[in-house]
């Protein structure tokens, strides 16, 4: 009889599987996809370029233990992510910084705003756009409105179907405004790309004699939950079930379908060495897609061809497309809580990961949460 079942071979599922295996337990990992890694899955295509199938993923963290854990399974390439925004045809750094200011304003005015920002916010600091638009100083408020309109408004509408003011701080605080020339997208201590890609890293995490991997298997076809008991192939399952898929699906949508954002990716090979000056260009004032990613910029490979992907955000439709992003607003958290409370009726069921916990988390938090859950289960 299988004692520990983990649904999902993404970073959350793979991490906790490895923790169990290292600790001496035998686990079974099931994924409905034929691939491992969940949304971090990548592969080298016919052009010799490593392509990320579910959108651009860059590893960054401040957690020592997460970096240490993952470093057991991959070597790293140094990579600091820099993003440009296409503002009415001008490419400027995002997060918006003092260079972006000088790129978009006449020099005299930019100088004045810069001095004001330094006086009000402090040189070297960062500030959320939602705070900046409420600044007491009129000139700063006008500047903030300009940044709101040209960097945040349309991109956010495209990405979430809501305007920034309808979304919580959780989303809008992720990309601040810098009162400095800091032009990196992330400021974490560790910023790297796995040398042989994310799939290889996850494959190494899962490679352990006590981990049994079953791909192309939908857990919903073999697992059912009823009245505080979990059933596996119709028989009561008394082991531990860790679930990293959508929790509404697990409970047959008894409280309704949780809202997610889905994505559509349009990949293209371009017959030239370079397509754009940065790995990612955000389209913040035009276009239906949110951003274009050029994969060779992650690895600094020089080839005569280059692969790009245009990313379109879509409403999630159950059974029709993939749920990528939980939409972290109050009413959805309340909706999700009904499922989380339902899960508490099952003493051997644990929800983990971006989908099951309905949390807008990065890769490092996925790994961190998995490590924390393992420690909790072991009473550490
Ligand atoms: P997932 O990767 O979604 O894995 C869940 C797995 O469960 C999937 O493989 C799925 O097939 C499987 N599953 C679901 N239901 C079932 C079922 N019924 N039966 C069997 N299997 C099932 N993070 C960063 O740190 N940096 C970035 O640059 C970054 N960029 C991102 C870009 C995009 C477009 C997206 C969508 C996310 C990005 N992230 C980024 C976040 C990152 O992808 C997640 O934090 C992380 O991958 C979450 O891992 P997970 O295992 O929780 O979920
Ligand atoms: N955002 C924006 N313009 C940008 C970059 C980000 O409006 O040029 C907003 C948008 O709402 C986005 C959020 O900030 O969804 C978080 O951006 P981040 O890059 O962290 O999102 P990710 O792609 O990692 O999910």
């Amino acid at each position: 009889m299988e004692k520990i079942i983990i649904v999902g071979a993404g970073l959350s599922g793979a991490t906790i599987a490895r923790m169990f295996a290292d600790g001496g337990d035998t686990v079974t990992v099931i994924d409905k996809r034929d691939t491992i890694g969940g949304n971090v899955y990548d592969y080298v295509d016919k052009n010799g370029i490593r392509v990320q199938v579910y959108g651009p993923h860059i590893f960054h963290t401040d957690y020592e233990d997460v970096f240490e854990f993952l470093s057991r399974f991959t070597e790293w390439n140094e990579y600091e992510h820099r993003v440009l925004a296409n503002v009415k045809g001008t490419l400027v750094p995002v997060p918006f910084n003092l260079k972006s200011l000088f790129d978009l304003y006449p020099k005299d005015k930019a100088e004045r705003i810069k001095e004001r920002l330094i006086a009000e916010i402090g040189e070297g600091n960062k500030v959320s756009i939602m705070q900046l638009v409420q600044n007491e100083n009129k000139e700063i408020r006008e500047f903030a409105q300009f940044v709101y309109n040209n960097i945040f408004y349309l991109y956010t509408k495209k990405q979430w179907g809501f305007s920034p003011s309808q979304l919580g701080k959780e989303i809008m605080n992720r990309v601040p405004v810098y009162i400095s020339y800091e032009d990196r997208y992330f400021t974490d201590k560790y910023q790297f790309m796995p040398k042989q890609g994310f799939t290889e890293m996850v494959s190494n995490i899962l490679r352990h004699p006590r981990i049994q991997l079953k791909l192309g298997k939908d857990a919903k076809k073999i697992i059912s939950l009823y009245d505080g008991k979990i059933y596996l192939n119709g028989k009561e399952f008394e082991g531990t079930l860790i679930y990293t898929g959508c929790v509404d699906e697990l409970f047959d949508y008894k409280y309704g379908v949780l809202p997610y954002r889905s994505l559509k990716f349009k990949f293209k090979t371009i017959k030239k060495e370079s397509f754009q000056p940065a790995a990612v260009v955000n389209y913040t004032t035009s276009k239906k897609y949110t951003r274009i990613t050029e994969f060779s910029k992650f690895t600094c490979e020089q080839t005569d061809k280059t692969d790009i992907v245009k990313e379109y955000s879509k409403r999630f439709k159950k059974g029709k497309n993939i749920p990528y992003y939980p939409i972290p607003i109050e009413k959805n958290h309340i909706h999700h809580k009904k499922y989380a409370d339902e899960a508490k009726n099952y003493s051997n069921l644990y929800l983990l990961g971006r989908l099951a916990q309905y949390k807008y988390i990065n890769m490092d938090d996925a790994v961190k949460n998995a490590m924390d859950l393992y420690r909790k289960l072991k009473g550490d």
Side-chain angles (χ1 to χ4, degrees):
M1 183 65 141
E2 288 155 308
K3 285 279 188 289
I4 301 169
I5 296 180
I6 296 162
V7 175
L11 265 181
S12 301
T15 299
I16 197 156
R18 183 64 188 224
M19 301 283 291
F20 276 119
D22 285 344
D25 292 302
T26 298
V27 299
T28 301
V29 180
I30 299 170
D31 204 297
K32 64 181 169 189
R33 293 184 188 169
D34 292 324
T35 52
I36 57 165
N39 289 339
V40 309
Y41 174 72
D42 57 16
Y43 75 101
V44 176
D45 74 357
K46 61 180 185 325
N47 300 323
I49 299 166
R50 181 164 289 111
V51 173
Q52 300 180 317
V53 175
Y54 303 104
H57 279 76
I58 299 99
F59 179 73
H60 55 102
T61 193
D62 280 324
Y63 299 126
E64 298 287 339
D65 53 352
V66 168
F67 184 63
E68 223 173 85
F69 174 78
L70 292 178
S71 299
R72 287 171 53 202
F73 307 105
T74 185
E75 289 177 58
W76 303 98
N77 281 336
E78 278 180 27
Y79 174 78
E80 290 188 325
H81 194 42
R82 286 179 173 79
V83 175
L84 296 172
N86 184 317
V87 179
K88 296 176 182 154
T90 304
L91 295 179
V92 304
V94 159
F96 200 95
N97 66 9
L98 294 177
K99 178 169 187 304
S100 322
L101 169 68
F102 280 86
D103 286 345
L104 292 174
Y105 275 79
K107 194 163 179 283
D108 287 0
K109 194 165 183 193
E111 284 291 358
R112 234 183 23 247
I113 296 172
K114 175 183 161 183
E115 293 317 315
R116 272 260 156 253
L117 286 167
I118 289 172
E120 293 278 331
I121 318 287
E123 193 162 16
N125 287 340
K126 59 182 177 178
V127 57
S128 152
I129 186 64
M130 303 317 285
Q131 251 177 288
L132 208 57
V133 287
Q134 288 172 5
N135 195 279
E136 283 181 1
N137 182 280
K138 186 165 172 279
E139 201 167 20
I140 290 196
R141 268 201 321 275
E142 279 170 9
F143 160 74
Q145 198 57 49
F146 174 86
V147 177
Y148 180 94
N149 293 342
N150 287 289
I151 300 291
F152 291 98
Y153 180 74
L154 183 67
Y155 189 98
T156 299
K157 269 287 223 190
K158 285 192 278 188
Q159 173 68 16
W160 299 101
F162 291 107
S163 67
S165 47
Q166 291 171 297
L167 292 164
K169 284 194 283 192
E170 191 177 340
I171 296 179
M172 299 319 298
N173 288 358
R174 285 172 64 100
V175 179
V177 173
Y178 280 105
I179 317 301
S180 68
Y181 290 89
E182 173 65 79
D183 66 347
R184 296 171 306 164
Y185 206 67
F186 309 113
T187 51
D188 306 50
K189 180 170 173 191
Y190 302 108
Q191 304 190 31
F192 292 100
M193 292 296 259
K195 206 165 231 162
Q196 305 300 329
F198 286 104
T199 305
E200 181 67 20
M201 179 180 85
V202 176
S203 168
N204 291 336
I205 297 175
L206 289 168
R207 190 173 302 120
H208 191 289
R210 282 190 288 276
I211 299 178
Q212 197 196 2
L213 184 61
K214 292 184 182 173
L215 294 179
K217 216 172 180 58
D218 189 340
K220 276 300 291 165
K221 299 214 167 112
I222 52 167
I223 291 169
S224 55
L225 284 80
Y226 180 70
D227 207 15
K229 290 187 177 140
I230 298 174
Y231 296 87
L232 176 64
N233 295 319
K235 288 194 187 130
E236 193 179 340
F237 173 68
E238 288 173 344
T240 300
L241 175 64
I242 294 174
Y243 197 83
T244 76
C246 293
V247 65
D248 52 350
E249 184 186 29
L250 178 66
F251 286 109
D252 298 318
Y253 307 100
K254 69 184 284 187
Y255 301 115
V257 180
L258 280 166
Y260 295 92
R261 288 302 282 180
S262 188
L263 297 169
K264 190 169 151 194
F265 297 103
K266 283 193 186 166
F267 290 85
K268 204 171 171 185
T269 298
I270 314 275
K271 284 187 188 156
K272 51 184 185 178
E273 263 182 33
S274 175
F275 174 76
Q276 60 188 22
V280 173
V281 175
N282 290 352
Y283 284 77
T284 57
T285 57
S286 62
K287 307 292 183 197
K288 286 192 173 151
Y289 44 86
T290 50
R291 57 187 174 187
I292 299 182
T293 299
E294 184 176 7
F295 293 106
S296 58
K297 297 273 187 312
F298 288 137
T299 46
C300 306
E301 279 160 337
Q302 286 285 326
T303 53
D304 56 346
K305 290 181 191 144
T306 191
D307 290 334
I308 62 161
V309 66
K310 290 181 181 168
E311 208 171 315
Y312 299 79
S313 177
K314 300 273 169 198
R315 194 185 311 168
F316 167 63
K317 290 188 190 143
K318 179 166 78 74
K320 297 258 185 307
N321 53 16
I322 297 175
Y324 285 97
Y325 290 90
I327 307 173
I329 56 175
E330 186 62 16
K331 83 174 177 26
N332 296 346
H333 286 312
I334 292 169
H335 190 172
H336 173 260
K337 191 171 179 301
K338 289 188 183 171
Y339 285 110
D341 286 345
E342 180 79 19
K344 286 183 189 150
N345 296 326
Y346 297 80
S347 59
N348 50 347
L349 168 67
Y350 299 90
L351 304 178
L352 180 69
R354 211 183 220 216
L355 297 172
Q357 295 184 287
Y358 204 78
K359 280 187 180 162
Y360 185 17
I361 50 171
N362 290 327
M363 288 184 273
D364 62 336
D365 272 311
V367 172
K368 181 80 177 159
N369 293 347
M371 293 169 107
D372 288 348
L373 176 59
Y374 174 78
R375 288 172 189 141
K376 189 176 128 191
L377 291 174
K378 292 289 172 187
D380 291 357

